[in-house]
Amino acid sequence: MKRSSSILLISFFALNAAYAQKKPIDHSVYDQWKSISRAEISKSGNLLYYTINPQEGDGIAMVKNNKDQVLFQIPRATDIKLSENENFLITTVKPLFQDVRQARIKKKRPDEMPKDSLFVVDILKNNIKKYPALKSSQIARKVNNYVAFVSEIIVPIAKDKKDEVDSTKTTDKNEKAETDSIKVRRPVARKERPTPVLHILNLQTGDTVQIHKTDNYYWSDNEAYLLYTRKGAAKDTVNEAGLYIYDVAKKTHKKISNGKGTYKSFRFDDQVNQLSFLADKSPEKSLLKEYKLYYYTPRQDTAYILVDKNSSGMPKDWYVSGDGSTSFSKSGKRLFFGLAPVPRVRDTTLVDFETAKLDIWHWQDDYLQPMQLSNLRRDMSRSYTAMLNLDGNRAVKPLSDETYNRISLTSDGDSEWALATSDNQYRIASQWDGGMKSDVYVVSTITGEQQLVAKALSGMALLSPNGQYVLYFNREEASWNSYNIKTKETKKLNEGIEVSFVDEENDVPALPGPYGIAGWSKDGNTVYLNDRFDVWKVSLNGKEKKMITLGKGREQLISYRYLNVSREEDPRDRNTYIDEKKPIYLAGFNRTTKENGFYKLGKRNMDVLWSGPFTYRMLNTDEKLDQIIYTKEDYQSSPDLYLRSNLTKETRLSNINPQQANYNWGTAELVKWTTPKGHQAEGILYKPENFDPNKKYPIIAYFYELLSDGLYTYQAPAPTPSRLNIPYFVSNEYLVFAPDIRYETGYPGRSAEEYINSGMQYLARNNNWVDSTKMGIQGQSWGGYQVAHLITRTNMYAAAWAGAPVVNMTSAYGGIRWGTGMSRQFQYENTQSRIGKPLWDALDLYIENSPLFFMDRVNTPVAIMSNDNDGAVPWYQGIEFFTALRRLNKPVWLLNYNGDDHNLIQRQNRKDIQIREAQFFDHFLKGAPAANWIKKGVKATEKGIDWGLEVN
């Protein structure tokens, strides 16, 4: 017995010694942490490729076979494309990170910056060809025997005799004196300039066709034709400018539209027999760019104008929109394009410094002026769908105008009916409602007849794939409905079904939304709908209502969702189709254990393919579903790539972060407790890898709303936008607790107390290793608000960090979200802030939930991040927070990252805040010496010289 105890003791010390050798994560390691992107497997399943990228630096692309053998490693590769025959890989290769960095330091002009390259990998011959100075590249959607790309080459400029300078010395003193007194402007030799050159590369032979002075090009889907434009010289004496078509089989070039201008929105029909495009050939300095719709077939010598502002059927004072797109219907009998009112142009005779610059806000404007300004570019480029019947008289048939904010067609474009929605009457109310109601119509593309489907709908609507029904969700009735266009009958599809199809956990004052659509039957007459756990098959005529997942979801508390593993690629049809004659695959999330899995649905049973305490992403399959790749992760395991053959054998393909083994990492476990009001609660507790139950640890609570579903999510150590960097703190021997919060309408602050405080107290009360005197809290945005509230209600926290917090709901209620220009009223009445009523109807609740009014109770040191370019929370909220505590002589700091947003965008700022958060919590929770910015701040006179990070 004594010997066994000795062995256990030796093992314990050996384990501790192993952990002791591991380093804590520091702020220098972030850039080296890597992630996988663009993981794909070929249709045959023989090839797979993915890129591994550090957070900052040079990535690498891996090309392997399905035996995990590396075929190619391509540094800095991105945007990888595989030819249809799987013989060639085409990829863009970025310049070295350090080269770009040095060029930026030297403030190089854009044309002097390091350039991308095109790499063409011949997989069969095992070689790579490089093409430098790349601007762009394209392959056709099908076939892929060619790649077109534009690079820049230097075209030498011939010397002009006028540019020559006479270097003969002047001997006449008077002449020399005269030239000395006058500044003579000598001609400067012009620099050789880069010229865009289009290359058409035959992948099989390596032959290349080159076309100078072009950078706009477009493949037909079948690779039969390549369109390209040429700009021509400033004085186009040889008439180069125009649009050309290259016939790949005949190797011939043909000019199909002549003249300088802008050519865009090229579109072939599905049979590649017709071509449409837009072109503006107005003078370069014209204030009004007037686009026209052009049409071409191989039988024509040149393209001709099909529609301009004078065409039959064109509304008065409207023209073809250059911001609209063109498309043919599947049959090729219809052509769709955009129209827009002819805009007013600026009066160029007015002088800028003599004219007023102002915005006028009107109480009856549809949208607030800031929202109008935020959406100005979108609104100026708005277009309205019109149609031409190419087999008919080709008169313009407008399908929508300013009455409708959206119009949609079936994917084939050949159905009679289009869906149109109008929110004109409901826009002002969106200021406080948040969501927008709409009137829903169907419009006949033949007769122009309109049918009202739903009035003042709060929800969503879409056409069935066959164009015979409208499917819509009504929030107010919590119902899915179908509207039969032919019979004009409406059916409530979930009538008689006892389960709810809307969010059962909704805890905001707004009406709950639906769990969504899983897919459609191929004939378009049946829709598959999700409830919280299961999938239902419901016919649009309302006759069939059947749960296809056998009730297993609700029985097992697993949320099943249809997994579309099909590789059918039809860019025209974005619908998901479910064929019950074929195997149906599902992803499942266990609501109790937080585990994920994949399942195969049988007629009478649900087979588990694989499942476990992991999160799976980037699932991609071959055509036969013999080979599946995916990433797998949990908190301890980086999301590496795996291959599963025949749905059984799993092979690991990558190990992207081996350096993690050198660092003290951590664990994640689910914690459950009961709140003071009797609510069942849960959250995630993160512990350091070298956790010792005999020690006491400081603990930080990080929260937002619901976080526990991320139990098996990997969190790379990274400079965050201002969230808590959980891996850093855990590695440095903090406990981190992430509790879920569920809210009571009208009392968001009290709800935060109910869950966060009780969760922290539960941990401290039941575990001696939690130091209840060294507890901190950190939150960003909504989490920042909750931090501010908590420190006015309790002194249990030794330190607090609030990012972008709201502290005064009375002033924030009338504020603007500058990123969108929207009023903030909707947020308080109907969404996240959860007050549920206007300010005037619930002033007591607005005050109770505004920490500003209770700042005199604060005894917790608090750091605030509030940035002057915050597009979501007015940054004066942070100022109100800071100045209140400053007036009360409470310890408070405010960080304003100049010009940065609500969540930090600039990486240097993200790195900086990680250092400061660590210094802040180390000081208040671990007793470390205070950094200078904490101790004495940084004066404006020292800005950019001293960052205050030193400790002295």
Side-chain angles (χ1 to χ4, degrees):
M1 187 68 185
K2 288 182 180 178
R3 185 171 178 273
S4 299
S5 298
S6 300
I7 291 171
L8 285 172
L9 195 61
I10 291 168
S11 299
F12 176 77
F13 282 119
L15 190 62
N16 270 352
Y19 287 145
Q21 293 170 7
K22 293 191 174 186
K23 302 176 288 186
I25 290 168
D26 62 52
H27 302 297
S28 68
V29 308
Y30 301 138
D31 292 349
Q32 64 183 277
W33 238 265
K34 299 178 179 67
S35 61
I36 288 175
S37 62
R38 289 295 304 272
E40 296 192 36
I41 191 167
S42 65
K43 287 184 179 181
S44 69
N46 295 327
L47 293 171
L48 54 98
Y49 45 96
Y50 55 96
T51 58
I52 303 172
N53 294 305
Q55 291 181 26
E56 189 168 274
D58 297 319
I60 189 167
M62 307 294 294
V63 184
K64 295 183 176 183
N65 61 24
N66 58 16
K67 302 293 188 292
D68 195 24
Q69 296 170 321
V70 177
L71 304 180
F72 297 93
Q73 297 184 49
I74 311 171
R76 307 182 307 285
T78 184
D79 190 26
I80 300 172
K81 304 182 184 81
L82 184 67
S83 65
E84 194 171 74
N85 60 16
E86 301 187 10
N87 292 337
F88 296 92
L89 202 73
I90 299 100
T91 182
T92 300
V93 173
K94 296 292 182 183
L96 284 164
F97 174 82
Q98 281 301 328
D99 290 352
V100 174
R101 180 174 180 272
Q102 288 301 317
R104 292 181 64 190
I105 290 170
K106 294 175 182 177
K107 297 182 179 180
K108 296 278 190 180
R109 298 194 311 267
D111 62 314
E112 296 175 324
M113 294 292 287
K115 302 292 190 296
D116 295 347
S117 299
L118 181 74
F119 276 32
V120 176
V121 181
D122 189 324
I123 297 170
L124 298 180
K125 294 181 180 178
N126 196 34
N127 66 29
I128 299 176
K129 288 185 179 179
K130 175 183 176 181
Y131 301 88
L134 179 72
K135 287 191 70 179
S136 64
S137 67
Q138 286 184 28
I139 60 172
R141 193 173 68 83
K142 300 177 182 176
V143 187
N144 309 147
N145 289 319
Y146 293 83
V147 58
F149 64 95
V150 169
S151 65
E152 290 186 327
I153 65 171
I154 301 296
V155 177
I157 297 175
K159 268 195 172 182
D160 190 326
K161 289 186 178 181
K162 293 178 182 178
D163 291 343
E164 294 178 1
V165 178
D166 186 359
S167 61
T168 306
K169 292 182 180 180
T170 303
T171 54
D172 189 307
K173 291 181 180 180
N174 293 330
E175 185 178 342
K176 184 178 186 303
E178 184 179 350
T179 57
D180 284 347
S181 64
I182 301 172
K183 291 182 180 178
V184 179
R185 185 174 180 182
R186 294 172 179 252
V188 178
R190 289 178 291 168
K191 287 186 178 180
E192 295 177 339
R193 61 184 181 274
T195 298
V197 176
L198 174 65
H199 307 259
I200 307 171
L201 171 64
N202 186 318
L203 294 171
Q204 306 294 336
T205 66
D207 295 338
T208 305
V209 175
Q210 293 187 353
I211 306 154
H212 286 226
K213 300 177 187 174
T214 179
D215 59 357
N216 193 13
Y217 55 106
Y218 178 80
W219 278 112
S220 63
D221 276 359
N222 65 354
E223 205 179 55
Y225 302 105
L226 179 70
L227 298 170
Y228 62 91
T229 59
R230 297 191 72 184
K231 292 183 176 180
K235 295 182 179 179
D236 193 11
T237 55
V238 294
N239 197 25
E240 287 180 314
L243 175 66
Y244 295 75
I245 188 167
Y246 177 70
D247 187 313
V248 174
K250 297 178 181 177
K251 298 182 180 180
T252 57
H253 301 260
K254 180 181 178 183
K255 192 178 198 180
I256 61 172
S257 189
N258 186 55
K260 287 186 176 183
T262 302
Y263 298 83
K264 61 194 294 189
S265 195
F266 308 114
R267 197 70 70 228
F268 289 95
D269 70 349
D270 287 21
Q271 295 75 35
V272 196
N273 293 327
Q274 305 173 91
L275 166 69
S276 67
F277 61 92
L278 303 176
D280 164 46
K281 301 182 184 181
S282 52
E284 187 176 344
K285 293 185 179 180
S286 173
L287 294 176
L288 182 65
K289 300 300 181 184
E290 189 174 338
Y291 281 88
K292 298 177 176 62
L293 176 66
Y294 286 76
Y295 178 79
Y296 174 79
T297 70
R299 296 188 299 274
Q300 299 167 206
D301 288 332
T302 60
Y304 62 82
I305 296 172
L306 195 58
V307 179
D308 63 15
K309 66 181 181 182
N310 299 313
S311 295
S312 174
M314 180 70 78
K316 186 182 180 185
D317 296 326
W318 283 50
Y319 67 169
V320 175
S321 171
D323 297 298
S325 60
T326 69
S327 63
F328 290 92
S329 66
K330 189 171 185 177
S331 67
K333 296 178 179 179
R334 293 173 163 188
L335 177 58
F336 301 95
F337 57 101
L339 301 179
V342 177
R344 297 176 65 180
V345 296
R346 189 182 300 275
D347 185 348
T348 56
T349 64
L350 297 176
V351 181
D352 280 352
F353 60 81
E354 294 179 345
T355 55
K357 292 179 175 61
L358 81 163
D359 302 323
I360 299 174
W361 299 35
H362 193 280
W363 68 286
Q364 290 181 316
D365 281 346
D366 283 357
Y367 298 110
L368 286 170
Q369 188 74 196
M371 196 171 178
Q372 293 180 46
L373 293 170
S374 177
N375 295 329
L376 186 62
R377 181 175 293 183
R378 184 201 69 185
D379 292 341
M380 293 292 289
S381 60
R382 187 183 297 277
S383 66
Y384 303 89
T385 306
M387 184 188 84
L388 283 182
N389 187 340
L390 296 172
D391 283 353
N393 61 7
R394 297 192 175 184
V396 175
K397 183 180 287 294
L399 299 180
S400 68
D401 55 26
E402 292 166 302
T403 304
Y404 301 117
N405 58 293
R406 181 173 73 96
I407 190 161
S408 55
L409 306 160
T410 54
S411 55
D412 63 14
D414 284 312
S415 296
E416 176 182 356
W417 296 94
L419 180 74
T421 59
S422 174
D423 61 14
N424 285 354
Q425 298 180 49
Y426 314 105
R427 291 173 181 169
I428 293 177
S430 69
Q431 175 177 320
W432 51 88
D433 285 342
M436 188 83 74
K437 293 183 178 181
S438 293
D439 297 331
V440 180
Y441 299 86
V442 286
V443 180
S444 171
T445 60
I446 298 173
T447 66
E449 176 195 347
Q450 296 180 357
Q451 294 180 25
L452 178 65
V453 176
K455 183 74 175 172
L457 177 69
S458 175
M460 55 172 284
L462 61 159
L463 271 177
S464 64
N466 59 17
Q468 295 174 16
Y469 291 88
V470 176
L471 175 71
Y472 68 92
F473 174 76
N474 187 323
R475 278 179 180 265
E476 294 173 346
E477 297 178 359
S479 64
W480 282 103
N481 304 270
S482 69
Y483 175 83
N484 186 315
I485 299 173
K486 184 177 181 181
T487 65
K488 302 182 181 180
E489 289 181 297
T490 298
K491 297 282 186 181
K492 187 174 180 178
L493 298 180
N494 55 313
E495 189 170 39
I497 300 176
E498 293 183 0
V499 302
S500 172
F501 285 85
V502 300
D503 185 0
E504 295 178 11
E505 300 175 291
N506 179 61
D507 64 358
V508 298
L511 293 167
Y515 286 105
I517 297 170
W520 298 87
S521 63
K522 196 63 181 177
D523 63 9
N525 290 322
T526 298
V527 65
Y528 293 83
L529 300 172
N530 297 321
D531 72 18
R532 185 180 178 191
F533 297 104
D534 292 293
V535 182
W536 293 74
K537 175 184 181 181
V538 183
S539 61
L540 296 180
N541 62 16
K543 293 181 179 179
E544 183 180 12
K545 302 173 184 181
K546 172 187 174 185
M547 182 195 294
I548 68 168
T549 46
L550 313 173
K552 296 292 185 181
R554 196 164 291 270
E555 176 187 316
Q556 301 166 347
L557 298 183
I558 296 175
S559 292
Y560 288 112
R561 294 296 178 258
Y562 177 69
L563 193 62
N564 186 10
V565 295
S566 170
R567 290 191 63 123
E568 293 180 13
E569 297 174 3
D570 183 355
R572 178 181 288 284
D573 194 346
R574 299 298 183 188
N575 292 306
T576 296
Y577 295 102
I578 299 177
D579 186 349
E580 294 189 56
K581 295 178 181 177
K582 297 179 180 179
I584 292 178
Y585 297 93
L586 302 163
F589 176 71
N590 190 307
R591 295 282 171 184
T592 305
T593 66
K594 314 298 182 183
E595 294 184 5
N596 290 274
F598 294 93
Y599 304 80
K600 183 178 179 182
L601 180 64
K603 294 292 183 184
R604 297 182 181 83
N605 61 306
M606 184 88 70
D607 295 328
V608 181
L609 300 177
W610 71 90
S611 180
F614 300 100
T615 295
Y616 303 93
R617 307 182 198 274
M618 296 190 196
L619 191 140
N620 196 249
T621 73
D622 66 0
E623 206 160 36
K624 295 180 180 178
L625 206 65
D626 290 333
Q627 314 281 338
I628 301 176
I629 59 171
Y630 51 86
T631 60
K632 182 172 77 170
E633 65 186 274
D634 60 15
Y635 181 74
Q636 294 171 293
S637 307
S638 179
D640 274 297
L641 192 65
Y642 290 78
L643 170 69
R644 192 173 286 263
S645 301
N646 300 318
L647 299 177
T648 53
K649 182 185 175 184
E650 182 182 73
T651 304
R652 181 172 176 170
L653 301 175
S654 70
N655 182 20
I656 60 174
N657 288 310
Q659 77 281 3
Q660 180 181 309
N662 301 323
Y663 294 94
N664 183 34
W665 198 248
T667 61
E669 61 189 71
L670 195 63
V671 176
K672 296 177 182 283
W673 75 99
T674 303
T675 73
K677 290 185 178 180
H679 302 304
Q680 298 304 304
E682 56 187 6
I684 306 171
L685 177 63
Y686 299 93
K687 296 177 183 174
E689 184 178 348
N690 64 346
F691 175 75
D692 180 352
N694 297 311
K695 289 177 60 175
K696 277 194 176 290
Y697 291 89
I699 184 169
I700 302 173
Y702 167 74
F703 39 81
Y704 191 75
E705 292 180 333
L706 301 176
L707 299 174
S708 67
D709 284 357
L711 176 65
Y712 297 113
T713 300
Y714 184 77
Q715 299 193 40
T720 76
S722 53
R723 300 185 305 272
L724 189 73
N725 187 347
I726 292 175
Y728 172 86
F729 283 97
V730 173
S731 180
N732 283 272
E733 299 191 350
Y734 284 84
L735 302 174
V736 174
F737 180 51
D740 285 351
I741 308 163
R742 299 187 182 275
Y743 297 90
E744 180 183 354
T745 296
Y747 302 96
R750 290 188 197 177
S751 301
E753 296 173 54
E754 176 79 8
Y755 284 87
I756 300 166
N757 291 352
S758 70
M760 292 287 269
Q761 288 163 346
Y762 169 81
L763 290 172
R765 210 169 36 239
N766 293 280
N767 303 288
N768 291 330
W769 32 265
V770 174
D771 189 342
S772 62
T773 68
K774 299 297 182 185
M775 299 199 298
I777 47 177
Q778 199 272 2
Q780 163 67 16
S781 188
W782 179 239
Y785 157 72
Q786 294 172 108
V787 167
H789 176 87
L790 290 176
I791 62 175
T792 67
R793 295 302 196 272
T794 180
N795 292 324
M796 65 187 284
Y797 300 111
W801 187 288
V806 164
V807 294
N808 183 355
M809 289 196 178
T810 64
S811 61
Y813 176 82
I816 297 292
R817 297 176 67 95
W818 293 109
T820 59
M822 295 176 66
S823 163
R824 295 179 55 81
Q825 291 174 350
F826 76 91
Q827 181 173 329
Y828 298 92
E829 295 188 33
N830 287 302
T831 61
Q832 190 174 61
S833 296
R834 297 174 168 89
I835 301 300
K837 297 178 181 179
L839 176 65
W840 307 276
D841 294 346
L843 182 58
D844 57 334
L845 292 179
Y846 280 84
I847 291 175
E848 177 183 332
N849 290 285
S850 295
L852 181 71
F853 299 107
F854 308 96
M855 288 291 162
D856 57 328
R857 302 178 184 177
V858 173
N859 291 305
T860 305
V862 57
I864 306 160
M865 185 204 76
S866 188
N867 302 324
D868 53 19
N869 196 35
D870 191 323
V873 170
W875 86 294
Y876 56 73
Q877 288 290 314
I879 295 171
E880 290 188 49
F881 194 178
F882 178 83
T883 55
L885 291 177
R886 172 183 162 92
R887 171 66 181 82
L888 293 162
N889 198 30
K890 309 283 187 174
V892 61
W893 298 260
L894 188 144
L895 306 178
N896 168 25
Y897 288 95
N898 303 163
D900 217 328
D901 211 330
H902 180 66
N903 295 300
L904 293 172
I905 303 298
Q906 299 176 47
R907 188 169 175 82
Q908 65 268 33
N909 291 340
R910 293 183 176 191
K911 287 184 174 181
D912 182 87
I913 203 171
Q914 307 308 302
I915 297 170
R916 296 186 195 277
E917 278 195 3
Q919 290 178 334
F920 182 79
F921 283 118
D922 282 353
H923 175 60
F924 287 106
L925 301 187
K926 285 188 172 183
N932 287 344
W933 72 272
I934 298 173
K935 190 161 51 178
K936 59 183 180 181
V938 177
K939 307 298 183 192
T941 53
E942 297 293 308
K943 183 177 176 179
I945 301 169
D946 181 5
W947 278 264
L949 297 172
E950 293 78 13
V951 178
N952 52 40

